[in-house]
Structures are given as C-alpha cells and as structure tokens.
Amino acid sequence: MSVNNFDMQKSMQDAFRMSNKLMSGLQNMMDIEDVELGTTPKELVYSEDRVKLYHYTPEVAKPHAVPVLVCYALVNKQYMLDLQENRSIVKKWLASGLDVYMIDWGYPTHVDKFLTMEDYIDGYLNNTVDFVREKHGLKAINLLGICQGGTMSTIYAALYPDKVKNLVTLVMPFDFATKDGLLFRWSLNMDIESMVASANGLLAGNSMNYGFNMLKPFELSFDKYLNFVDQLDNKEALMDFLRMETWIYDSPDQAGPMLIKFVKDLYQGNKLSQNKLEVGGRRVNLKNIKMPVLCLLAQKDHLVPPASTRPFIDAVPSKDKELVEFPVGHIGMFVSSRAQKEIGPKIADWIKAR
C-alpha cells in the first residue's frame, strides 16, 4: 500500500515538473524572434554566380601577414565555424591574429546543375585564391580545407602548388578504400548517376541529409529530441539546440556532375590516394604537395573515419608535415570545448610559426 502510494506521489510530482518544463519551454519558444548564426563581423569582398567570399574583420592591429582562406564542404554551410559567439573557432583565429577569409558556396539552383569538379576547383576556388593573393600582394596564401572542402583543397594544392604557402586540412576524407565508415561502404554500390538523373541534375540537399541521419539513426533522429525536451526550460541550451538544428538541415542542393565525379572517382575509385585522379585533363599528383602540411582528424568521427585521413601524411613528400588527432566527433572539431581550447589555437599557432 505504501509502495503504491509512493509511486503515485512520485508520478504526480514528475508530471507536475514536466508540465512546468513544457510551459516554461513554450514561453522560451515564443520569446525567440530569430536564430542568429555566424555573427562575427565580416565583409563580402568577392562574388561569382552563387559563390561568395567573406573577409572577417581582424581583431588585432597587425594581423598575420599571410591570410587564411577557408574552404568548407559543399554539402553543409560554413557558418558551423562561427555557430555562436562562445563556440566560434573563427573568433579564436581572429583573436590569435590570423587574417581569415571564408568561402560560402551558396545554394545551387537548376541553372547550376551542370557544374563540374573543374568548375569548382579550377574556377571558383582558384578565383577566390587569386583574389586574396592579389589583394594582399602575395604569391601564395594559406589554404584551410574542411571535410569535403579538405579533399578539394588537397586537389587544388596538388594542381596549383605555387599558390599555396601552407595547407591545413580538418576531418578530410582522403583514402576512400577504408571500410570503417558506413558512408564509405554505402557509397561503393551507390548508383549516383541514376540518383542525379532522377533529380533532374540537381540532387536535393534534404535527401542527402536523410542519408547522413541514417548513419546513426537513434542518436541523430531520436535521442537528441528526447534530450531536447529536457532543455526546454533552459533558454541558453534551447538556443544552442536550435542553432545546431538550423545548421544540420541547412543543406544546399548538389550539382550533378560534381557529385557524380566525387562519388565515382573518389568514394568508388579511390583515385586521389592512388595518384590517378584527373581534373581538367591534368593528373592530380600528390608529389606536388611540398608545402608545409597540417592534418587534423577526429578519433570519434562517424562521417570521416580516421582510417581515411591518416594515410594522407605518408602520401605527400612535404618535409614539414604533422598529423594531429583529437578525441572528439566530426562536429566536435568545431563546436566542442576542446575546439576552443586546443584545436583552434593549434591551427593558429602552426600557421603563424610558418
């Protein structure tokens, strides 16, 4: 009898607490006018078609003489590096004295559905590099590539080595032969040409997001929403959740030819790591990457497993190269406390020393 009474009382208390939490959460949701992202001051300095290049306002009187151009992936948005003021790796770089430029690849429309890898690397990426070089009167600049953008930056550095002073890559897929990642195994049998054709040449970003979520369905599609309920009455935690959700589902559509070549030549053919990749009729020769190289990976990465990244260091002949591993996940490389305390400063210090 007493046990039943105790259970009933506890259940009523839990229900009351949940009711209060939901009411408080409802008020918090009603108070939110907008989810602010990428708030660090910056200026649009160059644009071409859908692509924009931003220059972040330096935070020191005399920033480092050689600027850093950040090349993010095509499949998500670059403001992950500046998600919020207290989780901004960009702000860390600026405070350390780096001069930072960032490419925003934009949102391709059906006008862009014929864009190729050559258009992105020989065109947009090369044009933004040239813009920064000319603005600063430099022969070469620092290039920092992230995830797919790291692969693109590596290809670029091999094709245009004289324009890259230092190459930095974060969570970069390089050796696509690994079976460690579910995405890598899925891609082996993916009929990407049929998928692009059925999408009339422009694969929807939300369809790719669905695939990414299925890599960890419970954690990415179930657990996080259970945790979300617990955060409803904490406005700061609620805003953090909404910022991350906004970024996760802000996925641009993908131009067919670029996506097809990336999947067939890299995920399925593993041509980059074998020095067999061709872009614009030229072989992407990794032996050209003789500039200093810093390669960073996340040991708990479910999208880009460490086994895909580690071989890169041995594949390039640079005499000044370093591989650094951190015990975080893919996104943790940018928004975790470790990103603020260790990863951001490591990159800044390494670049400034060169």
Side-chain angles (χ1 to χ4, degrees):
M1 187 73 165
S2 60
V3 172
N4 290 337
N5 288 339
F6 176 79
D7 288 345
M8 178 65 73
Q9 182 179 1
K10 184 177 183 302
S11 296
M12 291 178 65
Q13 290 173 341
D14 289 343
F16 181 73
R17 280 195 295 269
M18 180 57 70
S19 176
N20 285 341
K21 183 183 291 288
L22 292 174
M23 291 300 295
S24 179
L26 179 60
Q27 185 60 53
N28 284 336
M29 295 289 286
M30 292 175 64
D31 290 341
I32 296 173
E33 295 182 1
D34 193 17
V35 179
E36 293 186 343
L37 302 156
T39 58
T40 301
K42 60 184 181 293
E43 177 188 6
L44 177 63
V45 293
Y46 174 83
S47 63
E48 181 181 359
D49 300 331
R50 244 54 67 190
V51 179
K52 294 179 174 60
L53 177 66
Y54 290 99
H55 180 214
Y56 284 89
T57 304
E59 293 190 358
V60 298
K62 292 183 178 181
H64 189 60
V66 183
V68 180
L69 174 61
V70 181
C71 174
Y72 202 78
L74 300 174
V75 296
N76 285 112
K77 298 301 290 181
Q78 78 291 337
Y79 57 76
M80 165 55 73
L81 303 180
D82 187 33
L83 197 62
Q84 61 198 66
E85 188 170 359
N86 64 339
R87 287 191 187 182
S88 173
I89 201 167
V90 168
K91 286 188 69 67
K92 284 291 181 182
W93 289 337
L94 295 174
S96 72
L98 292 186
D99 197 358
V100 182
Y101 289 80
M102 182 92 69
I103 299 173
D104 178 351
W105 295 111
Y107 298 90
T109 68
H110 276 284
V111 175
D112 310 296
K113 67 182 181 180
F114 300 109
L115 290 175
T116 64
M117 185 175 288
E118 288 76 8
D119 290 321
Y120 278 100
I121 293 177
D122 291 327
Y124 299 133
L125 182 53
N126 189 40
N127 292 344
T128 55
V129 169
D130 284 347
F131 176 89
V132 178
R133 288 171 57 240
E134 292 167 9
K135 181 179 178 180
H136 290 263
L138 296 169
K139 179 182 178 181
I141 63 171
N142 298 308
L143 183 59
L144 191 158
I146 297 171
C147 193
Q148 180 192 29
T151 310
M152 294 167 64
S153 296
T154 295
I155 294 169
Y156 182 86
L159 293 174
Y160 299 91
D162 293 340
K163 296 183 181 184
V164 181
K165 181 174 177 59
N166 298 297
L167 175 64
V168 181
T169 67
L170 281 78
V171 291
M172 172 189 67
F174 170 74
D175 185 348
F176 292 81
T178 179
K179 301 298 189 296
D180 282 4
L182 186 56
L183 178 62
F184 286 65
R185 296 198 295 273
W186 279 358
S187 299
L188 287 176
N189 299 308
M190 184 181 293
D191 187 353
I192 189 63
E193 290 179 318
S194 295
M195 292 173 64
V196 169
S198 65
N200 194 24
L202 194 70
L203 194 66
N206 59 10
S207 66
M208 298 189 69
N209 245 329
Y210 175 77
F212 292 146
N213 282 340
M214 289 306 295
L215 295 175
K216 298 176 74 174
F218 290 102
E219 182 176 336
L220 298 177
S221 303
F222 184 71
D223 285 355
K224 69 175 181 179
Y225 294 114
L226 289 179
N227 295 331
F228 169 66
V229 175
D230 289 335
Q231 299 170 347
L232 280 173
D233 57 345
N234 183 332
K235 190 168 184 178
E236 184 176 342
L238 176 61
M239 290 303 299
D240 289 350
F241 177 87
L242 293 176
R243 289 188 188 98
M244 183 62 71
E245 285 296 281
T246 300
W247 176 80
I248 288 173
Y249 291 100
D250 187 3
S251 297
D253 297 342
Q254 299 296 300
M258 169 62 177
L259 183 60
I260 288 171
K261 186 173 180 65
F262 202 89
V263 171
K264 294 191 71 173
D265 283 7
L266 298 177
Y267 275 102
Q268 296 176 351
N270 196 28
K271 292 182 178 181
L272 177 60
S273 69
Q274 302 177 70
N275 272 322
K276 295 180 180 179
L277 180 67
E278 290 191 2
V279 174
R282 297 158 297 164
R283 184 167 64 91
V284 180
N285 191 347
L286 298 171
K287 295 186 183 301
N288 292 333
I289 301 181
K290 298 177 182 178
M291 71 288 294
V293 173
L294 175 64
C295 178
L296 302 98
L297 63 81
Q299 294 173 335
K300 301 177 183 179
D301 199 328
H302 74 288
L303 289 174
V304 182
S308 175
T309 305
R310 289 189 183 114
F312 176 58
I313 285 295
D314 292 330
V316 296
S318 172
K319 295 180 180 179
D320 181 0
K321 55 186 178 180
E322 184 178 358
L323 174 67
V324 185
E325 304 187 11
F326 293 94
V328 296
H330 191 85
I331 295 175
M333 288 289 283
F334 316 113
V335 300
S336 66
S337 60
R338 192 179 294 271
Q340 303 300 305
K341 296 175 182 177
E342 298 179 32
I343 300 172
K346 169 62 182 180
I347 294 169
D349 291 344
W350 186 90
I351 289 175
K352 289 189 295 181
R354 290 156 180 79

